[in-house]
């Protein structure tokens, strides 16, 4: 008979799941993602926050454990060739940006952050606006950062990604940018009619869909297939199996098989969630790490203003300082932001939920819907069942992102 | 000689394309999502409904520098018996 009562040991924290690892009974802490054998002493269990009353300590350890990966979402410009109805930064866009990204300043910040730190990886995610408008700036930033790392921090693994609408002519500068990327995400939001309805050209008259497709072919000719993926946000009224099939067919015929389809999330302009988004929000899933806004020491955003943010939504709530600040100031401000804004902290149901560590209250882009009440928008029962099932299958540790093996 | 983009047009046969689509649509549910939202890029990726793999955690599109590398569960401290390592989930 399948064991389902896995959360009843009153001596243990709310966040502990009984499971097995290599056949051995173990406790799995869904928040800290640690495992201890069931035979562990009280002292060991206490040391790793496995006991009742240690939930807050476990949450603090999980939330404020400095990452070894530093990701900076770089928005080099808020200019864009399109004005998309569903754009999450529509209110940020400008016709002409006055300032340029301070490449030297950002590299200096990165140097300070990486030096004598536990970081082993650096990632720039370029977005915007249409980031390729500032291709020369991007190239300068990557080249400067590469020079820094080569000279002073050779142990740091450095990668770059870009999300683009691929509407600009691929001149030499842009081609160079694309070759510098490890991953290129191209936004295509439906078949031609729906894409063009959603993605309006700004000022210039052109067909966004055909322009993007032509550039995708050019990128393929540049040998970029392995780096490319297509990312779609489809409106509720078109998102049927047949429509999705036709959409995928377009790109599979071009030889591209990395295709992601999603719903449209609420934006600063259109705050009402679409039905698919709403349904998706309430759908149980395993989300082993907190949303990007709440990844301490891991994910930041910046733009030409030189400000640093912890997320790309609700900008006014997200400022942490500037690239000219010492990183320790940024980390300190991030702790304050997380403590003040992490929705689960304000939701008693979340705080006592055994699967908070595989949910974390959802994605911050749902803030306008969720506010400080994530538990009203979740399917706790199903999430619990998923965790129990994964535990029974001995797959929970893999799904939660830990590879666990016996110490030598 | 054909350009790369022209060559790629024959990467998948019509039958293969329909098989791929059918396979992906088996999992299709506009209000369902595979477990985990693990794309490192900002944008709408956190609300994926349909992926080119069963689970985003083995989604090769997110493995190059995706969130699997941004994993924050690196509690590398050893315990009595086990040690814990962050893992590139695609590996």
């Amino acid at each position: 008979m399948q064991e389902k009562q896995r959360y009843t040991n009153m001596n243990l924290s709310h966040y502990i799941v009984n499971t097995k690892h290599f056949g051995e009974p173990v406790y799995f802490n869904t928040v800290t993602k640690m495992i201890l054998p069931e035979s562990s002493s009280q002292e060991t269990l206490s040391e790793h926050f496995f006991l009742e009353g240690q939930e807050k300590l476990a949450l603090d350890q999980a939330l404020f454990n400095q990452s070894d990966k530093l990701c900076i979402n770089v928005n080099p410009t808020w200019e864009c060739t399109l004005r998309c109805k569903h754009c999450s930064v529509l209110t940020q866009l400008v016709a002409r940006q006055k300032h340029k990204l301070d490449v030297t300043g950002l590299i200096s910040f990165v140097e300070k952050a990486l030096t004598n730190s536990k970081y082993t990886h650096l990632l720039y995610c370029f977005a915007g606006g249409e980031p390729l408008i500032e291709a020369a700036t991007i190239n300068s930033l990557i080249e400067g950062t590469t020079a820094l790392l080569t000279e002073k921090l050779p142990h740091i693994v450095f990668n770059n990604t870009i999300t683009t609408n691929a509407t600009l002519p691929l001149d030499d500068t842009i081609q160079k940018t694309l070759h510098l990327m490890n991953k290129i995400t191209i936004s295509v939001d439906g078949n031609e009619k729906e894409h063009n309805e959603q993605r309006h050209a700004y000022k210039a008259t052109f067909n966004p869909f055909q322009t993007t497709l032509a550039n995708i072919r050019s990128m393929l000719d540049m040998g970029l297939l392995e780096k490319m993926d297509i990312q779609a946000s489809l409106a509720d009224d078109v998102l049927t199996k047949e429509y999705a099939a036709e959409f995928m067919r377009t790109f599979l015929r071009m030889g591209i098989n990395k295709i992601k389809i999603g719903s449209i999330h609420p934006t600063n302009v259109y705050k009402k969630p679409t039905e698919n988004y709403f349904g998706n929000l309430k759908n149980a899933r395993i989300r082993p790490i907190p949303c990007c806004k709440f990844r301490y020491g891991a994910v930041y955003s910046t733009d030409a203003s030189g400000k640093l943010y912890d997320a790309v939504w609700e900008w006014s709530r997200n400022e942490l300082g500037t690239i000219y600040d010492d990183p320790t100031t940024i980390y300190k401000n991030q702790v304050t932001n997380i403590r003040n804004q992490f929705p689960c902290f304000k939701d008693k149901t979340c705080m006592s939920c055994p699967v908070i560590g595989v949910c974390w209250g959802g994605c911050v882009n749902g803030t306008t819907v969720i506010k400080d009440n994530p538990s009203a928008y979740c399917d706790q029962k199903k999430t619990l069942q998923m965790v129990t099932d994964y535990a029974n299958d001995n797959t929970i540790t893999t799904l939660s992102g830990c590879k666990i093996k016996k110490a030598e | 000689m054909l350009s790369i983009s022209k060559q790629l047009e024959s990467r998948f046969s019509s039958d293969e394309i329909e098989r791929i689509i059918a396979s992906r649509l088996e999992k299709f549910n506009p209000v369902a999502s595979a477990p985990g939202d693990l794309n490192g890029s900002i944008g709408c990726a956190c609300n994926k409904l349909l992926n080119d793999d069963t689970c985003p955690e083995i989604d090769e599109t997110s493995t190059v520098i995706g969130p699997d590398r941004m994993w924050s569960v690196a509690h590398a401290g050893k315990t009595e018996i086990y040690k814990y390592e962050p893992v590139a989930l695609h590996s």
Side-chain angles (χ1 to χ4, degrees):
Chain A
M1 186 177 133
Q2 192 179 49
E3 185 184 350
K4 291 189 176 177
Q5 298 301 317
R6 292 178 171 273
Y7 310 100
T8 55
N9 189 330
M10 295 307 289
N11 292 322
L12 295 175
S13 155
H14 291 307
Y15 308 147
I16 305 303
V17 175
N18 300 67
T19 183
K20 288 185 178 176
H21 188 63
F22 294 126
E24 183 177 359
V26 294
Y27 295 131
F28 174 59
N29 190 320
T30 63
V31 167
T32 63
K33 310 295 186 292
M34 293 188 80
I35 277 184
L36 289 175
E38 280 190 5
S39 57
S40 297
S41 66
Q42 287 282 110
E43 185 184 8
T44 300
L45 292 170
S46 174
E47 184 186 346
H48 296 289
F49 313 137
F50 276 59
L51 297 181
E52 187 178 27
Q54 294 187 305
E55 289 85 357
K56 183 72 167 51
L57 293 169
L59 283 170
D60 274 9
Q61 186 187 62
L63 283 168
F64 302 116
N65 181 43
Q66 179 85 38
S67 170
D68 58 358
K69 320 286 194 301
L70 175 63
C71 168
I72 301 182
N73 295 311
V74 182
N75 305 294
T77 182
W78 293 114
E79 294 177 28
C80 190
T81 50
L82 302 178
R83 288 295 183 273
C84 306
K85 285 197 285 190
H86 66 309
C87 176
S88 60
V89 291
L90 199 56
T91 53
Q92 295 288 123
L93 299 181
V94 295
R96 180 70 60 187
Q97 184 159 294
K98 292 176 183 171
H99 305 290
K100 290 273 186 186
L101 183 79
D102 181 355
V103 169
T104 306
L106 182 53
I107 292 173
S108 176
F109 174 81
V110 167
E111 180 178 3
K112 283 185 282 184
L114 297 180
T115 302
N116 297 322
S117 74
K118 65 182 284 189
Y119 290 120
T120 57
H121 289 70
L122 171 66
L123 167 67
Y124 290 145
C125 293
F126 296 98
E130 170 45 50
L132 289 176
I133 290 174
E134 284 292 333
T137 303
I138 293 173
N139 295 349
S140 175
L141 177 60
I142 294 175
E143 288 170 349
T145 304
T146 301
L148 163 73
L149 300 180
T150 303
E151 184 183 347
K152 296 182 178 177
L153 298 158
H155 65 288
I156 300 288
V157 177
F158 180 38
N159 287 299
N160 296 279
T161 71
I162 194 165
T163 300
T164 174
N165 61 34
T167 56
L168 288 170
L170 305 185
D171 62 22
D172 290 348
T173 306
I174 289 179
Q175 288 191 35
K176 181 177 178 181
T177 306
L178 294 172
H179 280 299
L180 286 169
M181 295 298 148
N182 300 90
K183 180 182 155 197
I184 302 164
T185 294
I186 302 157
S187 302
V188 184
D189 292 338
N191 300 324
E192 182 165 3
K193 177 174 176 288
E194 291 74 23
H195 175 95
N196 285 344
E197 281 179 5
Q198 193 157 301
R199 294 186 157 260
H200 298 285
Y202 181 61
K203 290 192 175 178
T205 302
F206 63 93
N207 180 322
F209 184 82
Q210 291 299 340
T211 304
T212 296
L213 249 59
N215 278 331
I216 288 173
R217 289 192 185 91
S218 297
M219 289 182 195
L220 294 173
D221 284 333
M222 290 165 59
L224 297 172
L225 172 69
E226 293 306 315
K227 299 180 178 184
M228 293 165 61
D229 66 77
I230 306 297
Q231 176 174 278
S233 293
L234 300 187
D236 286 3
D237 56 347
V238 302
L239 189 45
T240 62
K241 275 192 172 187
E242 294 72 25
Y243 191 92
E246 187 55 33
F247 181 77
M248 287 189 281
R249 209 170 275 126
T250 299
F251 298 99
L252 287 165
R253 283 173 180 156
M254 297 169 76
I256 301 171
N257 67 350
K258 297 174 187 172
I259 306 163
K260 297 175 289 186
I261 299 177
S263 63
I264 294 174
H265 56 68
T267 70
N268 289 337
V269 177
Y270 300 100
K271 294 181 187 295
K272 187 179 177 185
T274 63
E275 284 185 25
N276 280 340
Y277 177 84
F278 195 72
N280 194 35
L281 198 65
K282 299 191 76 165
N283 188 55
R285 71 188 68 181
I286 300 295
R287 190 193 299 270
I289 54 175
C291 176
C292 53
K293 178 178 169 66
F294 304 112
R295 290 180 205 161
Y296 173 73
V299 183
Y300 302 100
S301 297
T302 191
D303 60 15
S305 72
K307 291 180 179 176
L308 278 167
Y309 309 86
D310 59 12
V312 293
W313 286 273
E314 295 195 329
W315 294 83
S316 60
R317 296 200 329 149
N318 298 335
E319 278 189 42
L320 298 172
T322 74
I323 56 175
Y324 310 107
D325 291 324
D326 190 89
T328 54
T329 303
I330 302 301
Y331 304 147
K332 186 179 169 189
N333 292 340
Q334 191 178 22
V335 169
T336 303
N337 258 20
I338 292 173
R339 291 213 183 279
N340 290 338
Q341 297 180 22
F342 191 53
C344 293
F345 283 159
K346 299 172 185 176
D347 187 323
K348 287 182 180 174
T349 306
C350 285
M351 291 299 283
S352 62
C353 177
V355 287
I356 186 174
V358 291
C359 164
W360 297 106
C363 174
V364 72
N365 78 7
T367 302
T368 53
V369 183
I370 296 171
K371 300 190 186 305
D372 293 328
N373 193 201
S375 66
Y377 298 91
C378 77
D379 186 341
Q380 186 199 50
K381 188 177 173 186
K382 192 171 175 186
T383 307
L384 271 166
Q385 188 59 53
M386 288 171 76
V387 170
T388 303
D389 290 344
Y390 289 134
N392 285 334
D393 291 344
N394 291 331
T395 52
I396 185 64
T397 51
T398 302
L399 283 168
S400 62
C402 294
K403 184 168 70 176
I404 298 160
K405 59 184 180 182
K406 291 214 171 189
E408 294 169 3
Chain B
M1 185 179 164
L2 286 175
S3 64
I4 296 175
S5 60
K6 278 288 176 194
Q7 292 175 47
L8 284 169
E9 286 176 7
S10 57
R11 181 184 182 195
F12 303 116
S13 69
S14 296
D15 286 348
E16 280 176 305
I17 287 173
E18 295 311 313
R19 270 199 300 274
I20 293 169
I21 290 172
S23 165
R24 294 179 187 181
L25 288 180
E26 273 182 22
K27 294 168 280 189
F28 178 81
N29 178 350
V31 292
S33 179
D37 295 314
L38 300 175
N39 193 294
S41 302
I42 58 175
C44 55
C46 282
N47 202 22
K48 285 184 288 187
L49 301 175
L50 180 65
N51 293 280
D52 45 11
D53 282 301
T54 308
C55 167
E57 282 143 320
I58 54 167
D59 177 356
E60 62 182 4
T61 64
S62 67
T63 55
V64 179
I65 28 58
D68 47 341
R69 297 284 189 85
M70 298 309 299
W71 216 244
S72 60
V73 294
H75 298 286
K78 291 184 180 180
T79 70
E80 291 175 335
I81 293 184
Y82 300 104
K83 65 179 179 181
Y84 312 93
E85 298 174 348
V87 58
L89 291 165
H90 189 56
S91 62

